[in-house]
């Protein structure tokens, strides 16, 4: 199984992907509901608030805020907030709406640059240690949850992907997928348990007995 499929299925089965989408929607509505451009808020204000509120919402939806044990734990990388499920750590990245495939990791923070330089089995590349950035945890693959939204008309974007260090001006992703209805499917956190019906009831038993009696009488005559 390739990394993309394994990462997607691992995070989806744990409820990570549906929870992330739920948190992103809630955070977006909170930010847009509490800020207005007429009051002087600028794009930078939205960006910082969207990042902070999404971080808090993710902690809440994963149960971390309440100290609930679960498959998803907080796992920051340097000062970047992160969450881990199995061998996959996920960091946040806000991008301009509609431009998720135009990111330049070589112009991003040292931490994001280091993450984008991780070796990728399907496309090996040298992993460089940047000054002041410790080597990543062995065996852990760090992915990015890229998020964006626009207010009028309200629209949201959420992607999960493996960054690629694109100082060559090429694609910023080894792979990337949108978190939408088509890709996510049913929410594994909301499995419906069908009620177990009894094999019989007193009423049904009476009916069966009566029918047998009637049948027996008809046969006798």
């Amino acid at each position: 199984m390739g990394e993309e499929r394994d990462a997607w299925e691992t995070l989806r089965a744990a409820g990570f992907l549906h929870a992330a989408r739920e948190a992103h929607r809630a955070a977006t509505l909170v930010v847009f509901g509490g800020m207005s451009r007429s009051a002087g808020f600028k794009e930078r204000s939205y960006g910082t608030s969207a990042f902070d509120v999404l971080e808090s919402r993710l902690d809440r939806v994963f149960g971390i805020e309440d100290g609930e044990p679960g498959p998803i734990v907080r796992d920051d990388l340097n000062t970047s907030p992160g969450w881990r499920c199995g061998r996959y750590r996920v960091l946040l990245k806000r991008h301009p709406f509609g431009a998720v495939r135009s990111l330049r990791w070589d112009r991003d923070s040292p931490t994001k640059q280091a993450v984008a330089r991780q070796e990728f089995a399907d496309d090996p590349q040298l992993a460089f240690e940047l000054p002041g950035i410790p080597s990543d945890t062995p065996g852990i693959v760090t992915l990015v949850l890229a998020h964006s939204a626009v207010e009028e008309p309200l629209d949201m974007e959420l992607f999960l992907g493996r960054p690629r260090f694109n100082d060559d001006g090429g694609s910023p992703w080894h792979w990337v997928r949108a978190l939408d209805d088509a890709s996510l499917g049913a929410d594994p956190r909301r499995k419906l348990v069908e009620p177990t019906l009894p094999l019989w009831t007193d009423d049904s038993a009476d009916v069966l007995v009566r029918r047998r009696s009637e049948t027996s009488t008809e046969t006798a005559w």
Side-chain angles (χ1 to χ4, degrees), residues 55 78 170 205 207:
E55 177 185 354
N78 299 325
V207 171

Side-chain angles (χ1 to χ4, degrees), residues 72-93:
I72 302 165
V73 298
R74 189 68 186 249
D75 189 16
D76 299 348
L77 180 60
N78 299 325
T79 58
S80 294
W83 297 263
R84 182 164 52 82
C85 179
R87 73 188 191 100
Y88 297 105
R89 176 200 287 129
V90 181
L91 305 182
L92 297 179
K93 169 65 180 177

Side-chain angles (χ1 to χ4, degrees), residues 15-30 53-54 56-63 145 156 158 179-181 184 187-190:
F16 185 104
L17 300 181
H18 286 85
R21 190 183 185 201
E22 177 184 308
H24 180 230
R25 179 173 180 79
T28 298
L29 295 177
V30 166
V53 176
L54 179 54
S56 298
R57 289 280 173 169
L58 286 170
D59 278 344
R60 182 181 305 176
V61 79
F62 292 148
L145 188 68
M156 289 168 260
L158 193 62
L179 276 68
D180 53 28
D181 290 338
L184 290 177
D187 189 339
R189 301 173 302 160
R190 296 183 173 89

